[in-house]
Amino acid sequence: MINEENRVSCVVFDWAGTTVDFGCEAPVGAFMKAFEQEGLPVSEAEARGPMGLAKRDHVRELLKLERVSALFAEKYGRAWTEEDVDRIYAASVPALMAVLKDYCEPIPGVVETVAELRRMGLKIGSTTGYTKEMMDIVAPGAAARGYAPDSLVTPDETGAGRPAPYMIFRNMEKLGIYPPANVVKAGDTLADVREGKNAGVWSVGIIEGSSELGLSRDECAALSTTERVDRFAAVRDRFYGAGADFVIDRITELPKLVEQINKLKSHQETK
């Protein structure tokens, strides 16, 4: 018999790459365009590296890359500063805002999974690297397509993005959920995993559709069995390396994982 007070009562999802925008494509293109305009071209792999952070922090992390820092010094004759972070971030915003409306489609299985979690009595929270202004486009677009969490918290609301835990804590406050051991955080980046661990909640990485996998829906579908196994295994290792408690192939596996966590919690309670 599971004590109802010792059950998972909330899942906090990330947005792009987890619940919408298969492959997390919108921010990748915006960052690549902004850096290209500065004469600092970055590869798709480089652009994805800091994914999950607040977008301004993402720009800073790209500038910290050894290759990009060297390229900046060669082009401008000096080291980059926070003013450069501000300028490049400001350039990325309109590029991202212009395309967000086209990247609100829920990832396959999201709508059905969220419905199942709600049938299980769970509340649905969400955190993101997007600003409130960006989410004012994404959230209504996703809602029109069937996905609307019970709570949404952006980095501007808490003053710090991932890997800080504050957005998760704010979701818990809004939804009346505690303790952290009754919360699952699910996301598609290493920053998501670290956010969950820093909040003391169950931290879950989701591979399919993720920025870590870095494939569009068509590219993912086109993988051979061997390629799929190898690519998924590499992402799984990175998630576990970042501290994930669990890693699942796709979001539809989450309800069963919640049941598994509840059994673990019940076992711990009876010890």
Side-chain angles (χ1 to χ4, degrees):
M1 184 74 176
I2 298 174
N3 182 347
E4 289 296 320
E5 294 182 356
N6 193 35
R7 294 178 65 90
V8 172
S9 51
C10 176
V11 174
V12 178
F13 286 108
D14 170 54
W15 281 82
T18 302
T19 53
V20 299
D21 186 6
F22 194 111
C24 199
E25 295 183 343
V28 172
F31 285 126
M32 291 179 71
K33 182 176 181 180
F35 274 80
E36 180 70 36
Q37 289 172 346
E38 289 285 325
L40 304 168
V42 295
S43 68
E44 180 178 332
E46 288 171 330
R48 287 188 182 280
M51 198 63 71
L53 300 181
K55 298 313 174 202
R56 190 180 182 282
D57 296 339
H58 192 133
V59 170
R60 185 185 297 107
E61 292 303 309
L62 289 178
L63 283 170
K64 284 181 180 179
L65 293 174
E66 185 176 349
R67 187 192 68 78
V68 179
S69 288
L71 190 60
F72 187 99
E74 179 183 340
K75 181 173 178 62
Y76 293 98
R78 60 177 176 82
W80 60 268
T81 67
E82 285 299 307
E83 290 182 355
D84 299 304
V85 175
D86 289 339
R87 186 183 68 257
I88 298 173
Y89 169 68
S92 73
V93 170
L96 187 51
M97 295 287 285
V99 301
L100 281 175
K101 67 182 185 302
D102 300 321
Y103 291 92
C104 302
E105 183 70 31
I107 289 173
V110 166
V111 174
E112 297 82 359
T113 298
V114 168
E116 177 61 21
L117 292 171
R118 284 181 167 141
R119 280 193 292 271
M120 294 166 64
L122 277 69
K123 294 183 179 179
I124 308 298
S126 66
T127 68
T128 180
Y130 286 156
T131 63
K132 182 182 184 302
E133 182 184 24
M134 295 169 186
M135 288 310 301
D136 284 344
I137 298 173
V138 177
R145 295 166 173 84
Y147 172 63
D150 302 312
S151 173
L152 162 62
V153 179
T154 63
D156 11 7
E157 189 173 339
T158 60
R162 302 170 184 137
Y166 308 126
M167 290 190 290
I168 292 177
F169 294 156
R170 187 63 58 84
N171 272 279
M172 292 170 62
E173 179 184 0
K174 284 184 171 184
L175 298 172
I177 300 295
Y178 64 88
N182 287 359
V183 176
V184 170
K185 169 63 203 302
D188 72 302
T189 68
L190 306 188
D192 282 296
V193 169
R194 292 169 180 139
E195 177 189 32
K197 295 303 291 182
N198 288 336
V201 304
W202 299 90
S203 195
V204 178
I206 303 177
I207 300 175
E208 191 171 271
S210 70
S211 182
E212 274 300 306
L213 185 63
L215 300 176
S216 69
R217 186 174 177 180
D218 288 344
E219 289 170 337
C220 189
L223 291 174
S224 68
T225 300
T226 300
E227 289 171 333
R228 185 178 183 87
V229 168
D230 290 346
R231 294 287 290 264
F232 276 45
V235 175
R236 185 174 292 107
D237 287 347
R238 293 198 293 275
F239 278 142
Y240 279 127
D245 296 300
F246 300 96
V247 181
I248 55 179
D249 283 358
R250 57 193 59 83
I251 198 168
T252 52
E253 298 171 24
L254 197 55
K256 285 187 178 179
L257 178 59
V258 168
E259 291 176 354
Q260 180 183 341
I261 292 172
N262 283 335
K263 289 176 182 177
L264 285 172
K265 286 165 66 62
S266 177
H267 179 69
Q268 291 167 355
E269 190 178 53
T270 57
K271 279 188 175 181

